[in-house]
PDB file of all heavy atoms in Angstrom:
ATOM      1  N   ALA A 235     -10.146  -3.294   2.233  1.00 67.00           N
ATOM      2  CA  ALA A 235      -9.912  -4.677   1.789  1.00 67.00           C
ATOM      3  C   ALA A 235      -8.697  -4.786   0.862  1.00 67.00           C
ATOM      4  O   ALA A 235      -8.038  -5.819   0.820  1.00 67.00           O
ATOM      5  CB  ALA A 235     -11.159  -5.197   1.086  1.00 67.00           C
ATOM      6  N   ASN A 236      -8.381  -3.718   0.126  1.00 67.00           N
ATOM      7  CA  ASN A 236      -7.257  -3.793  -0.813  1.00 67.00           C
ATOM      8  C   ASN A 236      -5.922  -3.484  -0.152  1.00 67.00           C
ATOM      9  O   ASN A 236      -4.903  -3.363  -0.812  1.00 67.00           O
ATOM     10  CB  ASN A 236      -7.485  -2.845  -2.000  1.00 67.00           C
ATOM     11  CG  ASN A 236      -7.511  -1.386  -1.557  1.00 67.00           C
ATOM     12  OD1 ASN A 236      -7.478  -1.095  -0.363  1.00 67.00           O
ATOM     13  ND2 ASN A 236      -7.565  -0.488  -2.506  1.00 67.00           N
ATOM     14  N   VAL A 241      -6.383   7.686   6.784  1.00 87.00           N
ATOM     15  CA  VAL A 241      -6.340   8.386   8.071  1.00 87.00           C
ATOM     16  C   VAL A 241      -7.764   8.818   8.396  1.00 87.00           C
ATOM     17  O   VAL A 241      -8.399   9.516   7.606  1.00 87.00           O
ATOM     18  CB  VAL A 241      -5.414   9.609   8.003  1.00 87.00           C
ATOM     19  CG1 VAL A 241      -5.532  10.443   9.274  1.00 87.00           C
ATOM     20  CG2 VAL A 241      -3.980   9.152   7.790  1.00 87.00           C
ATOM     21  N   VAL A 242      -8.285   8.370   9.524  1.00 87.00           N
ATOM     22  CA  VAL A 242      -9.655   8.731   9.887  1.00 87.00           C
ATOM     23  C   VAL A 242      -9.653  10.072  10.610  1.00 87.00           C
ATOM     24  O   VAL A 242     -10.398  10.971  10.275  1.00 87.00           O
ATOM     25  CB  VAL A 242     -10.299   7.639  10.766  1.00 87.00           C
ATOM     26  CG1 VAL A 242     -11.678   8.071  11.245  1.00 87.00           C
ATOM     27  CG2 VAL A 242     -10.393   6.336   9.978  1.00 87.00           C
ATOM     28  N   LEU A 260     -15.996  -5.021  21.728  1.00 86.00           N
ATOM     29  CA  LEU A 260     -15.756  -5.475  20.358  1.00 86.00           C
ATOM     30  C   LEU A 260     -14.329  -5.115  19.955  1.00 86.00           C
ATOM     31  O   LEU A 260     -13.729  -4.216  20.545  1.00 86.00           O
ATOM     32  CB  LEU A 260     -16.740  -4.788  19.400  1.00 86.00           C
ATOM     33  CG  LEU A 260     -18.190  -5.240  19.490  1.00 86.00           C
ATOM     34  CD1 LEU A 260     -19.089  -4.308  18.686  1.00 86.00           C
ATOM     35  CD2 LEU A 260     -18.323  -6.669  18.988  1.00 86.00           C
ATOM     36  N   PRO A 261     -13.775  -5.781  18.925  1.00 89.00           N
ATOM     37  CA  PRO A 261     -12.421  -5.437  18.472  1.00 89.00           C
ATOM     38  C   PRO A 261     -12.350  -4.003  17.933  1.00 89.00           C
ATOM     39  O   PRO A 261     -13.355  -3.447  17.484  1.00 89.00           O
ATOM     40  CB  PRO A 261     -12.147  -6.456  17.365  1.00 89.00           C
ATOM     41  CG  PRO A 261     -13.120  -7.561  17.591  1.00 89.00           C
ATOM     42  CD  PRO A 261     -14.329  -6.928  18.185  1.00 89.00           C
ATOM     43  N   ARG A 298     -21.497  10.452  26.803  1.00 84.00           N
ATOM     44  CA  ARG A 298     -21.433  11.777  26.213  1.00 84.00           C
ATOM     45  C   ARG A 298     -20.238  11.891  25.257  1.00 84.00           C
ATOM     46  O   ARG A 298     -20.361  12.412  24.142  1.00 84.00           O
ATOM     47  CB  ARG A 298     -21.322  12.818  27.323  1.00 84.00           C
ATOM     48  CG  ARG A 298     -21.554  14.204  26.832  1.00 84.00           C
ATOM     49  CD  ARG A 298     -21.385  15.228  27.945  1.00 84.00           C
ATOM     50  NE  ARG A 298     -21.445  16.529  27.352  1.00 84.00           N
ATOM     51  CZ  ARG A 298     -22.553  17.255  27.232  1.00 84.00           C
ATOM     52  NH1 ARG A 298     -23.677  16.809  27.721  1.00 84.00           N
ATOM     53  NH2 ARG A 298     -22.537  18.419  26.629  1.00 84.00           N
ATOM     54  N   GLU A 300     -18.834   9.461  23.728  1.00 84.00           N
ATOM     55  CA  GLU A 300     -19.128   8.621  22.569  1.00 84.00           C
ATOM     56  C   GLU A 300     -20.020   9.375  21.568  1.00 84.00           C
ATOM     57  O   GLU A 300     -19.787   9.336  20.365  1.00 84.00           O
ATOM     58  CB  GLU A 300     -19.822   7.352  23.066  1.00 84.00           C
ATOM     59  CG  GLU A 300     -19.602   6.178  22.179  1.00 84.00           C
ATOM     60  CD  GLU A 300     -20.089   4.881  22.801  1.00 84.00           C
ATOM     61  OE1 GLU A 300     -19.755   4.580  23.956  1.00 84.00           O
ATOM     62  OE2 GLU A 300     -20.810   4.174  22.107  1.00 84.00           O
ATOM     63  N   GLN A 310     -17.569  14.850   9.628  1.00 86.00           N
ATOM     64  CA  GLN A 310     -16.526  14.582   8.641  1.00 86.00           C
ATOM     65  C   GLN A 310     -17.122  13.995   7.353  1.00 86.00           C
ATOM     66  O   GLN A 310     -16.688  14.344   6.251  1.00 86.00           O
ATOM     67  CB  GLN A 310     -15.454  13.642   9.224  1.00 86.00           C
ATOM     68  CG  GLN A 310     -14.226  13.635   8.342  1.00 86.00           C
ATOM     69  CD  GLN A 310     -13.073  12.768   8.811  1.00 86.00           C
ATOM     70  OE1 GLN A 310     -12.283  12.354   7.995  1.00 86.00           O
ATOM     71  NE2 GLN A 310     -12.954  12.502  10.093  1.00 86.00           N
ATOM     72  N   VAL A 311     -18.133  13.118   7.516  1.00 88.00           N
ATOM     73  CA  VAL A 311     -18.815  12.567   6.339  1.00 88.00           C
ATOM     74  C   VAL A 311     -19.439  13.701   5.523  1.00 88.00           C
ATOM     75  O   VAL A 311     -19.306  13.762   4.298  1.00 88.00           O
ATOM     76  CB  VAL A 311     -19.882  11.526   6.758  1.00 88.00           C
ATOM     77  CG1 VAL A 311     -20.832  11.203   5.609  1.00 88.00           C
ATOM     78  CG2 VAL A 311     -19.207  10.246   7.247  1.00 88.00           C
ATOM     79  N   LYS A 315     -18.531  15.117   1.731  1.00 87.00           N
ATOM     80  CA  LYS A 315     -19.535  15.084   0.665  1.00 87.00           C
ATOM     81  C   LYS A 315     -19.876  16.471   0.135  1.00 87.00           C
ATOM     82  O   LYS A 315     -20.270  16.614  -1.010  1.00 87.00           O
ATOM     83  CB  LYS A 315     -20.810  14.390   1.157  1.00 87.00           C
ATOM     84  CG  LYS A 315     -20.633  12.887   1.350  1.00 87.00           C
ATOM     85  CD  LYS A 315     -21.919  12.221   1.800  1.00 87.00           C
ATOM     86  CE  LYS A 315     -21.707  10.725   1.970  1.00 87.00           C
ATOM     87  NZ  LYS A 315     -22.885  10.053   2.547  1.00 87.00           N
ATOM     88  N   ARG A 353      -5.566  13.245   6.014  1.00 86.00           N
ATOM     89  CA  ARG A 353      -6.687  13.589   6.888  1.00 86.00           C
ATOM     90  C   ARG A 353      -7.813  14.268   6.103  1.00 86.00           C
ATOM     91  O   ARG A 353      -8.989  14.029   6.351  1.00 86.00           O
ATOM     92  CB  ARG A 353      -6.184  14.480   8.031  1.00 86.00           C
ATOM     93  CG  ARG A 353      -7.271  15.176   8.849  1.00 86.00           C
ATOM     94  CD  ARG A 353      -8.229  14.200   9.532  1.00 86.00           C
ATOM     95  NE  ARG A 353      -9.286  14.892  10.252  1.00 86.00           N
ATOM     96  CZ  ARG A 353     -10.369  15.390   9.672  1.00 86.00           C
ATOM     97  NH1 ARG A 353     -10.549  15.275   8.370  1.00 86.00           N
ATOM     98  NH2 ARG A 353     -11.295  15.986  10.395  1.00 86.00           N
ATOM     99  N   LEU A 393     -16.812  28.380   4.869  1.00 85.00           N
ATOM    100  CA  LEU A 393     -18.044  28.130   5.635  1.00 85.00           C
ATOM    101  C   LEU A 393     -17.895  27.014   6.664  1.00 85.00           C
ATOM    102  O   LEU A 393     -18.533  25.962   6.571  1.00 85.00           O
ATOM    103  CB  LEU A 393     -19.203  27.832   4.673  1.00 85.00           C
ATOM    104  CG  LEU A 393     -19.586  28.988   3.757  1.00 85.00           C
ATOM    105  CD1 LEU A 393     -20.423  28.508   2.598  1.00 85.00           C
ATOM    106  CD2 LEU A 393     -20.306  30.076   4.533  1.00 85.00           C
ATOM    107  N   PRO A 394     -17.032  27.224   7.668  1.00 85.00           N
ATOM    108  CA  PRO A 394     -16.825  26.175   8.676  1.00 85.00           C
ATOM    109  C   PRO A 394     -18.086  25.952   9.512  1.00 85.00           C
ATOM    110  O   PRO A 394     -18.919  26.843   9.638  1.00 85.00           O
ATOM    111  CB  PRO A 394     -15.701  26.742   9.546  1.00 85.00           C
ATOM    112  CG  PRO A 394     -15.804  28.229   9.392  1.00 85.00           C
ATOM    113  CD  PRO A 394     -16.279  28.458   7.985  1.00 85.00           C
ATOM    114  N   LYS A 401     -24.065  21.680  22.641  1.00 39.00           N
ATOM    115  CA  LYS A 401     -25.490  21.915  22.387  1.00 39.00           C
ATOM    116  C   LYS A 401     -25.941  21.317  21.063  1.00 39.00           C
ATOM    117  O   LYS A 401     -27.114  21.151  20.827  1.00 39.00           O
ATOM    118  CB  LYS A 401     -25.796  23.414  22.415  1.00 39.00           C
ATOM    119  CG  LYS A 401     -25.625  24.028  23.798  1.00 39.00           C
ATOM    120  CD  LYS A 401     -26.419  25.316  23.900  1.00 39.00           C
ATOM    121  CE  LYS A 401     -25.877  26.224  24.976  1.00 39.00           C
ATOM    122  NZ  LYS A 401     -24.702  26.995  24.510  1.00 39.00           N
ATOM    123  N   MET A 402     -24.986  20.996  20.196  1.00 34.00           N
ATOM    124  CA  MET A 402     -25.299  20.371  18.900  1.00 34.00           C
ATOM    125  C   MET A 402     -26.412  21.094  18.149  1.00 34.00           C
ATOM    126  O   MET A 402     -27.325  20.464  17.634  1.00 34.00           O
ATOM    127  CB  MET A 402     -25.723  18.910  19.088  1.00 34.00           C
ATOM    128  CG  MET A 402     -24.596  18.013  19.507  1.00 34.00           C
ATOM    129  SD  MET A 402     -25.059  16.305  19.241  1.00 34.00           S
ATOM    130  CE  MET A 402     -23.591  15.471  19.821  1.00 34.00           C
TER     131      MET A 402
ATOM    132  N   ALA B 464     -23.005  24.762   7.827  1.00 67.00           N
ATOM    133  CA  ALA B 464     -23.209  26.156   8.199  1.00 67.00           C
ATOM    134  C   ALA B 464     -23.790  26.976   7.045  1.00 67.00           C
ATOM    135  O   ALA B 464     -24.495  27.950   7.264  1.00 67.00           O
ATOM    136  CB  ALA B 464     -21.890  26.763   8.667  1.00 67.00           C
ATOM    137  N   ASN B 465     -23.493  26.591   5.797  1.00 67.00           N
ATOM    138  CA  ASN B 465     -23.978  27.375   4.652  1.00 67.00           C
ATOM    139  C   ASN B 465     -25.398  26.996   4.233  1.00 67.00           C
ATOM    140  O   ASN B 465     -25.892  27.447   3.228  1.00 67.00           O
ATOM    141  CB  ASN B 465     -23.018  27.228   3.463  1.00 67.00           C
ATOM    142  CG  ASN B 465     -22.985  25.803   2.927  1.00 67.00           C
ATOM    143  OD1 ASN B 465     -23.573  24.907   3.524  1.00 67.00           O
ATOM    144  ND2 ASN B 465     -22.322  25.610   1.817  1.00 67.00           N
ATOM    145  N   VAL B 470     -26.627  13.955   2.737  1.00 87.00           N
ATOM    146  CA  VAL B 470     -27.200  12.678   3.161  1.00 87.00           C
ATOM    147  C   VAL B 470     -26.092  11.891   3.853  1.00 87.00           C
ATOM    148  O   VAL B 470     -25.042  11.648   3.270  1.00 87.00           O
ATOM    149  CB  VAL B 470     -27.748  11.890   1.962  1.00 87.00           C
ATOM    150  CG1 VAL B 470     -28.158  10.478   2.385  1.00 87.00           C
ATOM    151  CG2 VAL B 470     -28.921  12.622   1.348  1.00 87.00           C
ATOM    152  N   ALA B 487     -26.800   9.659  25.477  1.00 85.00           N
ATOM    153  CA  ALA B 487     -26.048  10.732  26.135  1.00 85.00           C
ATOM    154  C   ALA B 487     -26.928  11.933  26.484  1.00 85.00           C
ATOM    155  O   ALA B 487     -26.446  12.910  27.044  1.00 85.00           O
ATOM    156  CB  ALA B 487     -24.894  11.176  25.236  1.00 85.00           C
ATOM    157  N   LEU B 489     -28.215  14.175  24.519  1.00 86.00           N
ATOM    158  CA  LEU B 489     -27.800  15.350  23.755  1.00 86.00           C
ATOM    159  C   LEU B 489     -28.748  15.531  22.567  1.00 86.00           C
ATOM    160  O   LEU B 489     -29.402  14.588  22.152  1.00 86.00           O
ATOM    161  CB  LEU B 489     -26.373  15.152  23.229  1.00 86.00           C
ATOM    162  CG  LEU B 489     -25.258  15.204  24.273  1.00 86.00           C
ATOM    163  CD1 LEU B 489     -23.939  14.755  23.654  1.00 86.00           C
ATOM    164  CD2 LEU B 489     -25.126  16.604  24.848  1.00 86.00           C
ATOM    165  N   PRO B 490     -28.796  16.753  22.024  1.00 89.00           N
ATOM    166  CA  PRO B 490     -29.662  16.961  20.844  1.00 89.00           C
ATOM    167  C   PRO B 490     -29.198  16.116  19.641  1.00 89.00           C
ATOM    168  O   PRO B 490     -28.026  15.772  19.537  1.00 89.00           O
ATOM    169  CB  PRO B 490     -29.500  18.453  20.559  1.00 89.00           C
ATOM    170  CG  PRO B 490     -29.000  19.048  21.823  1.00 89.00           C
ATOM    171  CD  PRO B 490     -28.153  17.996  22.464  1.00 89.00           C
ATOM    172  N   ARG B 527     -23.504  -2.158  21.903  1.00 84.00           N
ATOM    173  CA  ARG B 527     -23.029  -2.889  20.734  1.00 84.00           C
ATOM    174  C   ARG B 527     -23.554  -2.225  19.450  1.00 84.00           C
ATOM    175  O   ARG B 527     -22.810  -2.045  18.485  1.00 84.00           O
ATOM    176  CB  ARG B 527     -23.512  -4.337  20.823  1.00 84.00           C
ATOM    177  CG  ARG B 527     -22.853  -5.210  19.825  1.00 84.00           C
ATOM    178  CD  ARG B 527     -23.358  -6.646  19.908  1.00 84.00           C
ATOM    179  NE  ARG B 527     -22.801  -7.366  18.808  1.00 84.00           N
ATOM    180  CZ  ARG B 527     -21.685  -8.069  18.871  1.00 84.00           C
ATOM    181  NH1 ARG B 527     -21.035  -8.185  19.991  1.00 84.00           N
ATOM    182  NH2 ARG B 527     -21.202  -8.661  17.799  1.00 84.00           N
ATOM    183  N   GLU B 529     -24.367   0.838  19.098  1.00 84.00           N
ATOM    184  CA  GLU B 529     -23.677   2.119  18.971  1.00 84.00           C
ATOM    185  C   GLU B 529     -22.295   1.919  18.342  1.00 84.00           C
ATOM    186  O   GLU B 529     -21.875   2.673  17.464  1.00 84.00           O
ATOM    187  CB  GLU B 529     -23.549   2.738  20.365  1.00 84.00           C
ATOM    188  CG  GLU B 529     -23.500   4.216  20.339  1.00 84.00           C
ATOM    189  CD  GLU B 529     -23.628   4.833  21.717  1.00 84.00           C
ATOM    190  OE1 GLU B 529     -24.555   4.477  22.462  1.00 84.00           O
ATOM    191  OE2 GLU B 529     -22.800   5.677  22.038  1.00 84.00           O
ATOM    192  N   GLN B 539     -17.360   4.618   6.225  1.00 86.00           N
ATOM    193  CA  GLN B 539     -17.795   5.568   5.204  1.00 86.00           C
ATOM    194  C   GLN B 539     -16.741   6.658   4.999  1.00 86.00           C
ATOM    195  O   GLN B 539     -16.488   7.085   3.872  1.00 86.00           O
ATOM    196  CB  GLN B 539     -19.150   6.179   5.565  1.00 86.00           C
ATOM    197  CG  GLN B 539     -19.741   6.911   4.388  1.00 86.00           C
ATOM    198  CD  GLN B 539     -21.110   7.538   4.589  1.00 86.00           C
ATOM    199  OE1 GLN B 539     -21.439   8.481   3.901  1.00 86.00           O
ATOM    200  NE2 GLN B 539     -21.904   7.040   5.500  1.00 86.00           N
ATOM    201  N   VAL B 540     -16.116   7.114   6.097  1.00 88.00           N
ATOM    202  CA  VAL B 540     -15.039   8.109   5.983  1.00 88.00           C
ATOM    203  C   VAL B 540     -13.908   7.529   5.134  1.00 88.00           C
ATOM    204  O   VAL B 540     -13.379   8.192   4.225  1.00 88.00           O
ATOM    205  CB  VAL B 540     -14.524   8.526   7.387  1.00 88.00           C
ATOM    206  CG1 VAL B 540     -13.202   9.256   7.290  1.00 88.00           C
ATOM    207  CG2 VAL B 540     -15.562   9.408   8.084  1.00 88.00           C
ATOM    208  N   LYS B 544     -12.518   8.669   1.383  1.00 87.00           N
ATOM    209  CA  LYS B 544     -11.135   9.113   1.211  1.00 87.00           C
ATOM    210  C   LYS B 544     -10.343   8.227   0.253  1.00 87.00           C
ATOM    211  O   LYS B 544      -9.389   8.683  -0.350  1.00 87.00           O
ATOM    212  CB  LYS B 544     -10.428   9.165   2.570  1.00 87.00           C
ATOM    213  CG  LYS B 544     -10.925  10.313   3.453  1.00 87.00           C
ATOM    214  CD  LYS B 544     -10.170  10.377   4.765  1.00 87.00           C
ATOM    215  CE  LYS B 544     -10.687  11.541   5.604  1.00 87.00           C
ATOM    216  NZ  LYS B 544     -10.082  11.573   6.950  1.00 87.00           N
ATOM    217  N   ARG B 582     -25.966  10.006  -1.301  1.00 86.00           N
ATOM    218  CA  ARG B 582     -25.404   9.040  -0.350  1.00 86.00           C
ATOM    219  C   ARG B 582     -23.944   8.731  -0.680  1.00 86.00           C
ATOM    220  O   ARG B 582     -23.106   8.588   0.220  1.00 86.00           O
ATOM    221  CB  ARG B 582     -26.238   7.756  -0.343  1.00 86.00           C
ATOM    222  CG  ARG B 582     -25.614   6.554   0.360  1.00 86.00           C
ATOM    223  CD  ARG B 582     -25.327   6.806   1.829  1.00 86.00           C
ATOM    224  NE  ARG B 582     -24.656   5.673   2.464  1.00 86.00           N
ATOM    225  CZ  ARG B 582     -23.367   5.388   2.357  1.00 86.00           C
ATOM    226  NH1 ARG B 582     -22.582   6.154   1.628  1.00 86.00           N
ATOM    227  NH2 ARG B 582     -22.852   4.349   2.974  1.00 86.00           N
ATOM    228  N   LEU B 622     -13.294  -3.594  -4.793  1.00 85.00           N
ATOM    229  CA  LEU B 622     -12.671  -4.023  -3.536  1.00 85.00           C
ATOM    230  C   LEU B 622     -13.521  -3.669  -2.311  1.00 85.00           C
ATOM    231  O   LEU B 622     -13.110  -2.864  -1.464  1.00 85.00           O
ATOM    232  CB  LEU B 622     -11.271  -3.414  -3.409  1.00 85.00           C
ATOM    233  CG  LEU B 622     -10.270  -3.910  -4.465  1.00 85.00           C
ATOM    234  CD1 LEU B 622      -9.072  -2.997  -4.547  1.00 85.00           C
ATOM    235  CD2 LEU B 622      -9.844  -5.345  -4.184  1.00 85.00           C
ATOM    236  N   PRO B 623     -14.710  -4.267  -2.215  1.00 85.00           N
ATOM    237  CA  PRO B 623     -15.578  -3.928  -1.067  1.00 85.00           C
ATOM    238  C   PRO B 623     -14.977  -4.420   0.247  1.00 85.00           C
ATOM    239  O   PRO B 623     -14.186  -5.369   0.255  1.00 85.00           O
ATOM    240  CB  PRO B 623     -16.874  -4.688  -1.375  1.00 85.00           C
ATOM    241  CG  PRO B 623     -16.453  -5.823  -2.246  1.00 85.00           C
ATOM    242  CD  PRO B 623     -15.289  -5.312  -3.060  1.00 85.00           C
ATOM    243  N   LYS B 630     -17.176  -9.401  14.265  1.00 39.00           N
ATOM    244  CA  LYS B 630     -15.794  -9.674  14.659  1.00 39.00           C
ATOM    245  C   LYS B 630     -14.869  -8.514  14.343  1.00 39.00           C
ATOM    246  O   LYS B 630     -13.778  -8.445  14.855  1.00 39.00           O
ATOM    247  CB  LYS B 630     -15.291 -10.958  13.981  1.00 39.00           C
ATOM    248  CG  LYS B 630     -16.023 -12.208  14.463  1.00 39.00           C
ATOM    249  CD  LYS B 630     -15.175 -13.448  14.207  1.00 39.00           C
ATOM    250  CE  LYS B 630     -16.027 -14.690  14.169  1.00 39.00           C
ATOM    251  NZ  LYS B 630     -16.716 -14.855  12.849  1.00 39.00           N
ATOM    252  N   MET B 631     -15.287  -7.619  13.485  1.00 34.00           N
ATOM    253  CA  MET B 631     -14.483  -6.438  13.130  1.00 34.00           C
ATOM    254  C   MET B 631     -13.040  -6.792  12.791  1.00 34.00           C
ATOM    255  O   MET B 631     -12.109  -6.147  13.268  1.00 34.00           O
ATOM    256  CB  MET B 631     -14.455  -5.429  14.281  1.00 34.00           C
ATOM    257  CG  MET B 631     -15.776  -4.730  14.482  1.00 34.00           C
ATOM    258  SD  MET B 631     -15.549  -3.282  15.502  1.00 34.00           S
ATOM    259  CE  MET B 631     -17.227  -2.721  15.629  1.00 34.00           C
TER     260      MET B 631
END
Side-chain angles (χ1 to χ4, degrees):
Chain A
N236 64 354
V241 172
V242 175
L260 289 169
R298 193 182 172 93
E300 208 170 310
Q310 194 179 155
V311 166
K315 289 182 180 174
R353 167 60 183 80
L393 296 163
K401 293 202 203 81
M402 290 196 181
Chain B
N465 65 353
V470 172
L489 289 170
R527 192 181 173 94
E529 208 170 310
Q539 193 178 155
V540 165
K544 289 182 179 174
R582 167 60 183 79
L622 295 163
K630 294 202 202 80
M631 289 196 182

